Amino acid sequence: MRYLVLAAIGALASILANKGIAVFNDGFRPIVPQFYDNQISRRELATMSFAISFGLVIGFAIPTSIAASIILIHCILLTTDIIGTFCPDSLVGTIVAGVVGALYGVGILVGLEFIVNVFAALPYNFLGSLGSVSTYVTAAFAIFPAVAVGYQHGFKKGAIAGIITFCVFLLTVKFGKFALGDAKVSLNGFGMAMLAGMICLIGFAASVKGTGDANASLVSTFGDKVKRIRSNWWLLAIMGGLVAMATSLGIVAGDPISLGLVAESSWAEAGMVALARAIGFIPLVFTTAIVTGVYGPVGSTFVFVVGLLLHGNPFVAALVGAIVMVVELALINVFAKGMDKFPGMKDMGEHIRTSMNKVLEVALTVGGVVAAEAMAAAFTGITGSGALFVVACLLLNRISKKPIVELAVGPVACILFGILLNILLVLQLISLVPVA
């Protein structure tokens, strides 16, 4: 089933990109209409798609997927953007895009399994240590709503939200285990802390009122583009159902944070993170959809929430995911007009994404240091060599002319460090077994 689901996702996503119905890369979405308005050629469109997406696939999506042995959806959908736009805008081109996309979907799963098997065959299998890259993601991510409050409303309100978050965490850890009749209830401290932070974030954002009609005017001006998206509702519904199904099966994840939580079987916490992220993406996805007439293959990413909350029920997740995608399309105008009345809610989305990235950068860097130190301890017992390597990679990447996405530095550095240790072991410069 896993291979069929990923083949279907790869095929349909490539077709959606080929026809300009939906693309995954937010930065590429505004470029697509230029081709249909005859402002750029198909070759230029494909070149731009490759330039925008390829580096993210190689430097961010694949290393993150390897670290958790779960496919980050960027691995598939950024590449299907490239596949779809490289194939001609014709019936034959669409068919070719679908076939190549299906093969790629299967190939990425086979490739990930192959890499895991290669690690197992190495003299030192560092995959277990690599998994600890996401060790601190759960803890660090509880604070991201407070960070978002700080970005949007200033230090004082951010500090208030942070103190509330921390207090809720302590209270939950202290009093979060109790009995209801014969049932024992155990609340997750990080999950409850994050929920408290989100309530603060939404409360502060909702307090900012507005009287303009900019988004309503957008809907009126670009009504034809909205109709274009809605005319393909059934394709987008199928896509949403497939992604929710794959998420329910534990094959894919929508972001590095929920991916790390799923790897630890923390499904409820992953669902909460995915929900917060989806709320943050509503303004971005809906606004670009209204202006460009191009949607995202996963919409505002609520389909990942569906898959996580319906873990182990893939067919139910597929049905609900399809319904959620249709509901999103139906509510585009409503959300756009609502953002005029609550501009703070619209601005909140950008701050959520920024705070998530900042927190994740710190968490993955710290996790990378811990993972590299665990690898080093197995060989030398010398404290600091792993941390030295990861920090060096982080700082050298920042001054590089072509730096990779900083979120990927931790996983990439750990993979490089693990390979280096294996090379040293093979060369017998160090050995796990004393020489007689």
Side-chain angles (χ1 to χ4, degrees), residues 3-376:
Y3 294 99
L4 290 175
V5 171
L6 287 184
I9 289 175
L12 185 54
S14 296
I15 291 171
L16 291 174
N18 177 260
K19 305 308 293 182
I21 298 170
V23 295
F24 183 70
N25 193 314
D26 298 316
F28 182 57
R29 200 170 297 135
I31 297 173
V32 175
Q34 296 182 33
F35 167 73
Y36 293 96
D37 293 338
N38 296 317
Q39 295 178 7
I40 59 175
S41 66
R42 188 74 179 186
R43 182 176 180 179
E44 290 173 320
L45 181 69
T47 301
M48 289 181 185
S49 176
F50 183 85
I52 290 174
S53 298
F54 186 73
L56 289 171
V57 175
I58 299 299
F60 168 58
I62 291 179
T64 305
S65 300
I66 293 173
S69 298
I70 298 172
I71 299 171
L72 186 65
I73 197 65
H74 300 61
C75 279
I76 301 174
L77 298 185
L78 286 174
T79 307
T80 54
D81 284 355
I82 298 172
I83 293 171
T85 52
F86 263 85
C87 294
D89 184 24
S90 62
L91 177 60
V92 174
T94 302
I95 294 172
V96 171
V99 172
V100 175
L103 292 174
Y104 176 78
V106 173
I108 199 70
L109 180 56
V110 173
L112 185 61
E113 292 177 345
F114 173 76
I115 291 172
V116 171
N117 292 333
V118 168
F119 282 163
L122 291 173
Y124 169 51
N125 181 1
F126 60 92
L127 192 59
S129 297
L130 187 62
S132 64
V133 168
S134 60
T135 300
Y136 297 99
V137 168
T138 307
F141 224 70
I143 202 64
F144 93 84
V147 177
V149 171
Y151 273 117
Q152 186 173 7
H153 303 284
F155 173 79
K156 289 183 179 179
K157 290 183 178 179
I160 292 171
I163 292 170
I164 292 173
T165 299
F166 186 64
C167 289
V168 169
F169 170 75
L170 294 178
L171 291 172
T172 304
V173 172
K174 183 69 175 178
F175 305 106
K177 295 181 180 180
F178 51 88
L180 289 176
D182 295 332
K184 292 183 178 180
V185 178
S186 180
L187 300 177
N188 181 275
F190 295 122
M192 295 304 296
M194 188 189 305
L195 178 60
M198 283 301 299
I199 292 173
C200 292
L201 177 60
I202 293 172
F204 283 127
S207 66
V208 181
K209 300 293 193 299
T211 57
D213 61 351
N215 286 293
S217 299
L218 271 182
V219 173
S220 301
T221 305
F222 297 97
D224 291 342
K225 295 185 180 297
V226 175
K227 289 180 181 178
R228 180 179 184 272
I229 295 173
R230 287 177 172 171
S231 67
N232 295 293
W233 67 269
W234 59 280
L235 287 173
L236 293 168
I238 294 172
M239 189 71 209
L242 288 170
V243 173
M245 188 177 192
T247 307
S248 176
L249 290 169
I251 308 172
V252 303
D255 61 89
I257 307 95
S258 60
L259 180 145
L261 293 170
V262 168
E264 299 173 359
S265 298
S266 300
W267 294 92
E269 290 79 4
M272 190 176 298
V273 168
L275 178 60
R277 183 172 181 270
I279 292 171
F281 267 82
I282 288 175
L284 173 65
V285 174
F286 281 11
T287 302
T288 55
I290 293 169
V291 174
T292 66
V294 182
Y295 207 54
V298 294
S300 297
T301 72
F302 283 100
V303 290
F304 292 109
V305 183
V306 171
L308 291 168
L309 297 181
L310 292 174
H311 165 57
N313 298 282
F315 294 104
V316 178
L319 176 61
V320 177
I323 293 173
V324 165
M325 188 68 87
V326 173
V327 171
E328 277 190 31
L329 296 175
L331 293 178
I332 288 179
N333 294 358
V334 175
F335 275 102
K337 294 175 182 178
M339 284 187 286
D340 285 327
K341 297 182 179 179
F342 298 97
M345 298 295 287
K346 177 182 177 181
D347 296 338
M348 181 182 72
E350 181 63 34
H351 296 298
I352 285 178
R353 293 192 298 275
T354 300
S355 63
M356 279 186 167
N357 284 341
K358 294 298 183 183
V359 170
L360 192 57
E361 285 174 8
V362 174
L364 289 180
T365 300
V366 173
V369 169
V370 172
E373 284 289 278
M375 295 179 197

